[in-house]
């Protein structure tokens, strides 16, 4: 099985707002961004995050997809749509020091996100009769999937850059899971 993971295209965020679950519009020229992406339509299953920034890409390519809440970006709770610089130091500093375990108010921590992404991923890789799958999602989700496949420490997940509108391909063959392409 091949699993193609595509990150949504670039967002319009001139004020450097914190966003994950919140809707954030794509850049005004998003159709130009879409044109730079190559997607064939030969997929047995297409999954999208329910975020509009992901669904718009699926709609542009006229893909028959389903949404999965588990592949949304991190829920930053009360920080959503606040400027990063406006988040009080007493809230953000503990999170910077331990983003794996520290939960944002009314949001989630990285371990909680990892649990929901892993549930979706494990369901996907154990599905029968799937030859090729496409998932349109977010950088955090793709990093967590790569962390699961490559088994590197969770605290190192931000060492992998996931480009806007870029594709990562993971291959599962004879129970061996490998990263075939990254950011193509």
């Amino acid at each position: 099985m091949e699993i193609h993971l595509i990150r949504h295209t670039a967002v319009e965020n001139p004020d450097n707002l914190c966003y994950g679950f919140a809707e954030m519009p794509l850049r005004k020229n998003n159709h130009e961004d879409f044109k730079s992406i190559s997607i064939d339509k030969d997929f047995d299953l297409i999954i999208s995050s329910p975020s509009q920034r992901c669904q718009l890409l699926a709609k542009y390519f006229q893909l028959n997809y389903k949404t999965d809440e588990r592949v949304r970006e991190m829920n930053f709770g009360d920080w959503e749509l606040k400027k990063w610089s406006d988040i009080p130091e007493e809230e953000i500093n503990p999170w910077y020091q331990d983003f794996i375990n520290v939960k944002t108010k009314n949001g989630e921590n990285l371990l909680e996100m990892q649990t929901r992404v892993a549930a979706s991923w494990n369901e996907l890789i154990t599905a029968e009769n799937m030859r090729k799958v496409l998932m349109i999602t977010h950088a955090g989700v793709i990093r967590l999937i790569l962390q699961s496949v490559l088994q590197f420490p969770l605290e190192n997940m931000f060492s992998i850059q996931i480009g806007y509108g870029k594709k990562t391909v993971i291959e599962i063959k004879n129970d061996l899971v490998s990263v075939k392409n990254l950011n193509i």
Side-chain angles (χ1 to χ4, degrees):
M1 174 187 334
E2 267 190 8
I3 302 172
H4 296 231
L5 307 168
I6 295 182
R7 182 183 184 191
H8 61 81
T9 56
V11 297
E12 192 73 37
N13 188 8
D15 295 326
N16 195 27
L17 302 177
C18 172
Y19 70 96
F21 260 44
E23 292 296 347
M24 181 62 67
L26 294 176
R27 286 196 312 195
K28 288 175 181 45
N29 63 344
N30 60 58
H31 283 200
E32 290 302 313
D33 293 339
F34 294 163
K35 289 177 186 174
S36 71
I37 299 170
S38 174
I39 298 179
D40 63 56
K41 296 186 180 185
D42 185 28
F43 292 100
D44 300 310
L45 175 65
I46 301 169
I47 300 165
S48 174
S49 160
S51 297
Q52 284 300 307
R53 57 191 181 270
C54 294
Q55 289 189 66
L56 286 171
L57 182 61
K59 289 174 183 173
Y60 174 83
F61 283 100
Q62 300 177 341
L63 301 172
N64 182 17
Y65 67 96
K66 68 177 196 169
T67 60
D68 185 342
E69 284 287 333
R70 299 171 297 180
V71 298
R72 288 182 79 144
E73 188 58 274
M74 179 177 265
N75 182 351
F76 287 102
D78 291 357
W79 297 358
E80 293 280 351
L81 300 180
K82 282 187 178 179
K83 287 184 179 182
W84 281 99
S85 58
D86 289 347
I87 299 169
E89 283 187 23
E90 63 273 8
E91 288 181 34
I92 204 164
N93 285 343
W95 184 79
Y96 279 147
Q97 292 168 6
D98 186 6
F99 60 86
I100 295 171
N101 297 295
V102 173
K103 182 189 254 190
T104 59
K105 187 175 180 189
N106 295 313
E108 66 186 340
N109 64 28
L110 191 59
L111 287 176
E112 290 168 323
M113 182 182 175
Q114 181 186 43
T115 298
R116 70 175 160 79
V117 170
S120 176
W121 177 251
N122 290 332
E123 184 179 298
L124 182 61
I125 64 173
T126 58
E128 294 188 22
N129 301 318
M130 293 288 169
R131 191 181 43 76
K132 195 171 170 186
V133 175
L134 172 64
M135 182 186 294
I136 303 169
T137 189
H138 310 273
V141 173
I142 296 170
R143 286 182 182 118
L144 285 171
I145 290 170
L146 289 170
Q147 188 273 334
S148 172
V149 169
L150 299 173
Q151 296 292 299
F152 56 80
L154 197 53
E155 60 269 12
N156 294 342
M157 72 178 266
F158 292 105
S159 297
I160 296 178
Q161 295 304 309
I162 305 297
Y164 286 113
K166 297 297 182 183
K167 184 176 9 178
T168 296
V169 180
I170 296 175
E171 184 177 58
I172 302 169
K173 195 179 213 176
N174 301 325
D175 294 326
L176 177 64
V177 182
S178 59
V179 178
K180 192 172 170 182
N181 298 100
L182 181 66
N183 280 322
I184 58 171

